[in-house]
Amino acid sequence: MKQWIYIANWKMNVTPKMAIGWYANIDDIQNTIKDYQAYCIICPSFVCIPLLSHHISPDTICLGGQDCSIYASGAYTGEVDAYSLQQVGCHYCIVGHYERRSLFGETDADVTQKIQNLYAANIIPIVCIGTVQKELATIYTLLSHQLHFLSLVPAGASLYIAYEPVYAIGTNNIPLTPELKEIFDWLRRYVAHQAPTIQVYFIYGGSVHPNTIGELKSIPGIDGFLIGSASNSWVSLKKIIIG
Ligand code: PEP
């Protein structure tokens, strides 16, 4: 059985009270993850992370941040640094999500700095890339710009790359299977050429739901999924894992 990776991006949709509600399902969560050999990473809001890390062991579910500061420490009101994430139990952290890029002005240079801070804190980055454009040649040009950071990833490190076409985020509109197959083929070849010593996992994100997961799991080249809205409740995340 293939070990799929499921990354739940809870965004600002799951409050601490709602996160506590997840404990009620802990037996079912543990059994499902074991039965389906799933590898699950939950990325809650910063304030939920210590709460979850006290109750859920990394053997069952690993925790990740949704972002981190470009700064390592200091007088930066409101920021959360990579070392702090590591201290509260994060093994992973999303960076470069389209919402950070489009709503908060995050640049490729910021993403690169965050990736370096995460490796320094012993956290594996989950780097989101993706474009508004739909034409393949344009997609490849833009993705290769977003992947400039590859040359700075330490040799032998692990890295997650989440390809998220912008039009698929939160829309229920996934790309056609042949197109995704082609893009993941290109990504694998490009990354192997640019960074042959890195252990990379290739993730798809954008409208992953119980009704789209079957088709998505048939696409070679995809190791796992970054899931937004459908990851907020255990009921729908479970349907995705068993789907
Ligand atoms: C996302 O925002 O990363 C995402 C994949 O969202 P959704 O699953 O809701 O499309």
mmCIF file of all heavy atoms in Angstrom, residues 22 47 58 64 71 74 91 107 147 156 174 195 203 212:
data_model
loop_
_atom_site.group_PDB
_atom_site.id
_atom_site.type_symbol
_atom_site.label_atom_id
_atom_site.label_comp_id
_atom_site.label_asym_id
_atom_site.label_seq_id
_atom_site.Cartn_x
_atom_site.Cartn_y
_atom_site.Cartn_z
ATOM 1 N N TRP A 22 -11.064 17.681 18.236
ATOM 2 C CA TRP A 22 -10.397 16.583 17.521
ATOM 3 C C TRP A 22 -10.031 15.437 18.461
ATOM 4 O O TRP A 22 -9.997 14.284 18.054
ATOM 5 C CB TRP A 22 -9.134 17.102 16.835
ATOM 6 C CG TRP A 22 -9.398 17.594 15.439
ATOM 7 C CD1 TRP A 22 -10.168 18.655 15.086
ATOM 8 C CD2 TRP A 22 -8.919 17.025 14.229
ATOM 9 N NE1 TRP A 22 -10.191 18.790 13.727
ATOM 10 C CE2 TRP A 22 -9.425 17.803 13.170
ATOM 11 C CE3 TRP A 22 -8.090 15.933 13.925
ATOM 12 C CZ2 TRP A 22 -9.148 17.531 11.846
ATOM 13 C CZ3 TRP A 22 -7.811 15.662 12.595
ATOM 14 C CH2 TRP A 22 -8.347 16.449 11.577
ATOM 15 N N VAL A 47 -1.514 29.461 17.848
ATOM 16 C CA VAL A 47 -1.943 29.244 19.245
ATOM 17 C C VAL A 47 -2.434 27.817 19.490
ATOM 18 O O VAL A 47 -2.477 27.364 20.632
ATOM 19 C CB VAL A 47 -3.021 30.253 19.695
ATOM 20 C CG1 VAL A 47 -2.447 31.649 19.800
ATOM 21 C CG2 VAL A 47 -4.226 30.230 18.779
ATOM 22 N N PRO A 58 3.687 12.638 17.804
ATOM 23 C CA PRO A 58 4.144 12.700 16.406
ATOM 24 C C PRO A 58 4.133 11.331 15.724
ATOM 25 O O PRO A 58 4.199 11.250 14.504
ATOM 26 C CB PRO A 58 5.569 13.249 16.505
ATOM 27 C CG PRO A 58 5.861 13.491 17.933
ATOM 28 C CD PRO A 58 4.709 13.073 18.770
ATOM 29 N N GLY A 64 2.784 21.157 12.009
ATOM 30 C CA GLY A 64 3.517 22.119 11.197
ATOM 31 C C GLY A 64 2.960 23.510 11.413
ATOM 32 O O GLY A 64 1.780 23.678 11.750
ATOM 33 N N TYR A 71 12.675 36.701 10.151
ATOM 34 C CA TYR A 71 13.705 37.018 11.152
ATOM 35 C C TYR A 71 13.921 35.836 12.089
ATOM 36 O O TYR A 71 12.982 35.098 12.404
ATOM 37 C CB TYR A 71 13.278 38.249 11.958
ATOM 38 C CG TYR A 71 13.024 39.443 11.084
ATOM 39 C CD1 TYR A 71 11.721 39.895 10.866
ATOM 40 C CD2 TYR A 71 14.068 40.098 10.450
ATOM 41 C CE1 TYR A 71 11.475 40.983 10.040
ATOM 42 C CE2 TYR A 71 13.826 41.188 9.611
ATOM 43 C CZ TYR A 71 12.529 41.624 9.415
ATOM 44 O OH TYR A 71 12.294 42.690 8.591
ATOM 45 N N GLY A 74 14.209 38.714 17.773
ATOM 46 C CA GLY A 74 14.386 40.154 17.933
ATOM 47 C C GLY A 74 13.091 40.922 18.065
ATOM 48 O O GLY A 74 12.019 40.346 18.288
ATOM 49 N N HIS A 91 7.469 19.910 13.419
ATOM 50 C CA HIS A 91 8.507 19.274 12.604
ATOM 51 C C HIS A 91 8.513 19.840 11.182
ATOM 52 O O HIS A 91 9.422 19.571 10.408
ATOM 53 C CB HIS A 91 8.286 17.765 12.532
ATOM 54 C CG HIS A 91 8.516 17.086 13.852
ATOM 55 N ND1 HIS A 91 7.533 16.918 14.800
ATOM 56 C CD2 HIS A 91 9.637 16.570 14.393
ATOM 57 C CE1 HIS A 91 8.040 16.307 15.855
ATOM 58 N NE2 HIS A 91 9.315 16.086 15.636
ATOM 59 N N THR A 107 7.389 37.675 -0.890
ATOM 60 C CA THR A 107 8.133 37.554 -2.150
ATOM 61 C C THR A 107 8.935 36.244 -2.159
ATOM 62 O O THR A 107 9.115 35.605 -1.117
ATOM 63 C CB THR A 107 9.134 38.719 -2.297
ATOM 64 O OG1 THR A 107 10.097 38.597 -1.221
ATOM 65 C CG2 THR A 107 8.445 40.061 -2.213
ATOM 66 N N LEU A 147 11.404 28.323 -7.753
ATOM 67 C CA LEU A 147 12.262 27.243 -7.233
ATOM 68 C C LEU A 147 13.738 27.639 -7.135
ATOM 69 O O LEU A 147 14.583 26.795 -6.875
ATOM 70 C CB LEU A 147 12.112 25.997 -8.126
ATOM 71 C CG LEU A 147 10.767 25.267 -8.011
ATOM 72 C CD1 LEU A 147 10.594 24.270 -9.155
ATOM 73 C CD2 LEU A 147 10.635 24.553 -6.670
ATOM 74 N N GLY A 156 21.418 16.672 1.201
ATOM 75 C CA GLY A 156 20.876 15.582 2.015
ATOM 76 C C GLY A 156 19.624 15.951 2.798
ATOM 77 O O GLY A 156 19.028 15.104 3.459
ATOM 78 N N ILE A 174 -10.425 21.279 -10.011
ATOM 79 C CA ILE A 174 -9.057 20.751 -10.102
ATOM 80 C C ILE A 174 -8.607 20.686 -11.572
ATOM 81 O O ILE A 174 -9.432 20.578 -12.473
ATOM 82 C CB ILE A 174 -8.903 19.371 -9.415
ATOM 83 C CG1 ILE A 174 -9.801 18.308 -10.052
ATOM 84 C CG2 ILE A 174 -9.142 19.457 -7.923
ATOM 85 C CD1 ILE A 174 -9.492 16.889 -9.568
ATOM 86 N N ALA A 195 18.760 19.879 -7.897
ATOM 87 C CA ALA A 195 19.123 19.565 -6.503
ATOM 88 C C ALA A 195 19.127 18.048 -6.303
ATOM 89 O O ALA A 195 18.288 17.501 -5.584
ATOM 90 C CB ALA A 195 18.116 20.226 -5.557
ATOM 91 N N ILE A 203 3.897 17.305 -3.577
ATOM 92 C CA ILE A 203 2.558 17.401 -3.010
ATOM 93 C C ILE A 203 1.663 18.184 -3.971
ATOM 94 O O ILE A 203 2.105 19.176 -4.561
ATOM 95 C CB ILE A 203 2.644 18.153 -1.641
ATOM 96 C CG1 ILE A 203 3.643 17.480 -0.687
ATOM 97 C CG2 ILE A 203 1.273 18.337 -1.004
ATOM 98 C CD1 ILE A 203 3.305 16.076 -0.280
ATOM 99 N N THR A 212 -12.843 14.473 -5.051
ATOM 100 C CA THR A 212 -11.783 14.636 -6.064
ATOM 101 C C THR A 212 -10.585 13.717 -5.788
ATOM 102 O O THR A 212 -9.737 13.531 -6.661
ATOM 103 C CB THR A 212 -11.272 16.103 -6.130
ATOM 104 O OG1 THR A 212 -10.881 16.525 -4.812
ATOM 105 C CG2 THR A 212 -12.326 17.053 -6.651
#
